[in-house]
Amino acid sequence: MSIKQNLQNIKSTLPNSVTLVAVSKTKPVSDLMEAYHAGQRVFGENKIQEMAEKHEQMPKDIIWHMIGHVQRNKVKYMAEFVSLIHGVDNTKLLKEINKQALKHNRIIDCLLQIKIAEEDSKFGMSAEEASALLQSEEFSELKNVNVVGLMGMATFTDNMEQIENEFKYLNSFFNKLKAQNSKLKTLSMGMSGDYKLAIECGSNMIRVGSSIFGARNYL
Ligand SMILES: *Cc1c(COP(=O)(O)O)cnc(C)c1O
């Protein structure tokens, strides 16, 4: 099936409240343009340099999301144009984003990445760390970042019950935080294999790559 058809199939099943981030990492600009011409505007990349190159080459009404792990020394390469950074998991990184956003006279939206998977390899902070960060004085002084929600990745497993439990845990934490902080609106969870379940569990932003663009040859 074509990229356009894949997009249409997915979109036809999504509630209006759910934002579809088309995860285009490793894919050529021609593939992204096919999605663009089918109406897709929100794209997610996991490497800053690759995103910056694609941003350079592509129409300027594209909304770029950084969904991968962010190294502090690379924030400067995306600060001018990135719309949402999903993977913020420490205060030092948030401070650097704030500093670079200020240079461009911007306020950059961010999500705090919460570790919900059981694997050690997944990045993210605990719920306790995230609560503490949001309540800290340090955080209140960062005027050029806007934390608008949470992001999480479930364990890489076929066990849907485990994935469901992880999503439900994140959703309940999100609802608890939301009651204290009215800025929180976005819950980014769900990928090609589990986005339907994620939406049932409260997600309103899904990050879908292979179901749109086909399998990737490399990470
Ligand atoms: C690659 C990636 C996705 C998309 O994965 P698919 O299984 O191809 O949909 C989603 N989120 C993150 C953080 C990713 O790195």
Side-chain angles (χ1 to χ4, degrees):
M1 262 194 297
S2 70
I3 290 170
K4 183 178 177 174
Q5 282 172 321
N6 290 339
L7 265 174
Q8 283 170 349
N9 289 346
I10 294 168
K11 276 194 186 160
S12 68
T13 68
L14 295 185
N16 283 332
S17 55
V18 175
T19 301
L20 171 63
V21 180
V23 175
S24 48
K25 61 190 187 195
T26 80
K27 295 296 175 183
V29 165
S30 56
D31 283 6
L32 279 72
M33 284 309 297
E34 203 175 323
Y36 180 87
H37 289 309
Q40 183 65 25
R41 290 296 178 272
V42 184
F43 290 85
E45 290 282 336
N46 72 337
K47 295 213 166 74
I48 294 174
Q49 194 174 334
E50 184 176 343
M51 181 172 75
E53 282 166 13
K54 286 173 173 170
H55 165 256
E56 217 21 66
Q57 295 173 43
M58 295 186 63
K60 295 299 172 274
D61 60 343
I62 289 177
I63 296 161
W64 293 99
H65 287 196
M66 173 43 57
I67 62 166
H69 179 66
V70 177
Q71 283 172 282
R72 250 183 298 144
N73 60 354
K74 293 195 177 152
V75 172
K76 55 177 177 282
Y77 302 119
M78 64 174 168
E80 192 180 352
F81 68 88
V82 69
S83 290
L84 181 64
I85 302 175
H86 289 232
V88 177
D89 65 358
N90 65 81
T91 311
K92 272 185 162 176
L93 174 58
L94 205 54
K95 279 184 168 170
E96 176 63 17
I97 296 168
N98 187 72
K99 182 175 144 192
Q100 297 299 335
L102 182 60
K103 279 192 190 162
H104 295 282
N105 207 8
R106 298 187 65 211
I107 296 172
I108 298 181
D109 286 348
C110 296
L111 304 177
L112 297 182
Q113 183 171 356
I114 309 297
K115 184 178 177 339
I116 55 173
E118 69 181 11
E119 294 119 73
D120 290 337
S121 60
K122 297 262 157 75
F123 294 103
M125 56 206 319
S126 68
E128 292 73 27
E129 287 166 333
S131 305
L133 195 167
L134 291 173
Q135 287 167 36
S136 69
E137 197 175 318
E138 231 177 348
F139 174 68
S140 68
E141 286 162 2
L142 303 178
K143 303 297 183 203
N144 291 74
V145 289
N146 204 8
V147 172
V148 296
L150 304 177
M151 180 270 220
M153 282 174 89
T155 302
F156 187 71
T157 172
D158 291 335
N159 183 345
M160 290 315 258
E161 201 176 308
Q162 178 174 359
I163 296 176
E164 183 174 353
N165 285 336
E166 292 171 357
F167 283 158
K168 281 184 172 163
Y169 167 78
L170 186 56
N171 184 52
S172 75
F173 175 56
F174 177 64
N175 286 329
K176 210 179 334 169
L177 272 190
K178 228 170 32 170
Q180 301 158 11
N181 185 332
S182 60
K183 277 188 177 174
L184 301 181
K185 294 188 165 54
T186 302
L187 181 56
S188 166
M189 60 182 196
M191 326 199 326
S192 290
D194 56 22
Y195 72 84
K196 287 180 185 145
L197 179 58
I199 292 168
E200 281 168 23
C201 295
S203 169
N204 58 21
M205 183 173 281
I206 57 173
R207 310 174 309 269
V208 178
S210 42
S211 290
I212 298 172
F213 296 106
R216 287 175 296 274
N217 297 324
Y218 59 99
L219 290 172

